[in-house]
Amino acid sequence: MRRELSILCIVLAVLGVSCSSSHNKLLKSNDQDAKFEAAMKAYERKDYFHANQLFENLLLYSRGRETAEKVNFYYGMSLMGSKDYYSAGYQFESFVKWFPYSKLAEEALFQAAYCKYLESPEYSLDQTLTKQAINNFQAYIDKYPKSERVTQANKLMDELRQKLIKKDYVNAYNYYKTSAYQAAQTSLKNFLNDYPDATEYREEAMYYIVLAGYEYAEKSVESKQKERYQSVVMDCERYNAIFNAMQDKAKKQKIEAIYKTAKEKLENIK
């Protein structure tokens, strides 16, 4: 059994060396048709390493020739296959510029956006790529509104927007967490204005607006306390009007206590 395995390993090694040698010879040859055929076959069998080398080798030669569109497009697809999404996205964007009237331009525009979607980091990191992906998907929808891909593009955009929403909410909440109460109050109110449909964060945002507003009023100079306690009272009333049926008793009691204290403070100021 061991002998058979040893023979098999030797055969595979010889085949590997042979294939590598053939591939290198092909890269150096002037037979561009053979290169293109080999690149497509490598791509189809998901051998992206060799496909990338062959397509990249063909880029300069194919310029202005009949195979140029396919070489440039499948080079991008092959880069995607090897998970080099940054290079793939750049290649697809270039394809759209170079071949705007190609039958493959629609797919290339979608894939350019999709590459940025795949590169979009978790919400806590810089979201530049996330915003770029949203813009690219929107550009795709605007250009191809009847495409079958529109539904998918909208779904992916919603996922990306959720990252932006979460990041902005966490950033606003962190002001409260670090006792920057004025900034917390302002940021949370801006968050609600910027994302009126972010229902999953609305209750918490309004809750911390009340808490931040109360702490801010407490620490304010005497001449500013009246208007700030009045703001707290209004925020409490707004919160109770919207979330009257809420089940979280601890939050409800906290809001009621702040409301009562703020009203008392206003009476004393008068």
Side-chain angles (χ1 to χ4, degrees), residues 149-161:
R149 294 273 204 177
V150 167
T151 301
Q152 184 184 4
N154 277 318
K155 184 180 177 182
L156 295 174
M157 284 170 70
D158 287 341
E159 285 182 37
L160 294 166
R161 287 193 190 101

Side-chain angles (χ1 to χ4, degrees), residues 48-221:
Y48 301 119
F49 176 76
H50 290 106
N52 285 342
Q53 288 186 329
L54 289 164
F55 282 127
E56 188 174 12
N57 190 278
L58 284 162
L59 285 176
L60 186 61
Y61 169 81
S62 65
R63 191 173 295 175
R65 289 178 166 80
E66 194 176 329
T67 56
E69 287 185 30
K70 284 190 175 180
V71 167
N72 279 275
F73 179 80
Y74 282 102
Y75 180 43
M77 293 299 290
S78 187
L79 287 167
M80 271 195 82
S82 59
K83 298 185 179 179
D84 184 356
Y85 303 125
Y86 178 83
S87 298
Y90 177 80
Q91 180 63 24
F92 286 126
E93 286 178 343
S94 298
F95 182 93
V96 173
K97 291 176 186 175
W98 295 333
F99 309 102
Y101 306 110
S102 168
K103 291 180 180 178
L104 297 169
E106 179 182 337
E107 184 65 15
L109 188 59
F110 180 88
Q111 294 299 343
Y114 189 60
C115 285
K116 285 191 170 63
Y117 164 84
L118 292 172
E119 279 217 299
S120 172
E122 60 180 75
Y123 79 91
S124 59
L125 301 176
D126 180 75
Q127 294 301 303
T128 300
L129 279 171
T130 302
K131 293 172 183 176
Q132 287 177 359
I134 290 172
N135 291 336
N136 284 15
F137 278 126
Q138 190 59 58
Y140 174 83
I141 291 169
D142 292 342
K143 191 166 186 178
Y144 303 103
K146 296 181 180 179
S147 170
E148 294 178 356
R149 294 273 204 177
V150 167
T151 301
Q152 184 184 4
N154 277 318
K155 184 180 177 182
L156 295 174
M157 284 170 70
D158 287 341
E159 285 182 37
L160 294 166
R161 287 193 190 101
Q162 285 303 312
K163 272 189 198 178
L164 298 181
I165 290 170
K166 186 173 183 179
K167 183 177 179 68
D168 283 357
Y169 174 73
V170 171
N171 285 344
Y173 168 72
N174 281 340
Y175 284 120
Y176 173 80
K177 199 174 177 181
T178 55
S179 302
Y181 298 119
Q182 182 183 13
Q185 193 180 31
T186 301
S187 297
L188 287 164
K189 286 182 177 181
N190 287 339
F191 172 83
L192 291 174
N193 289 330
D194 292 341
Y195 303 106
D197 298 327
T199 53
E200 66 271 40
Y201 295 103
R202 187 182 303 161
E203 186 270 329
E204 283 224 350
M206 292 183 70
Y207 176 73
Y208 285 110
I209 284 170
V210 172
L211 269 60
Y214 177 75
E215 294 292 344
Y216 181 45
E218 282 281 276
K219 291 171 174 56
S220 296
V221 295

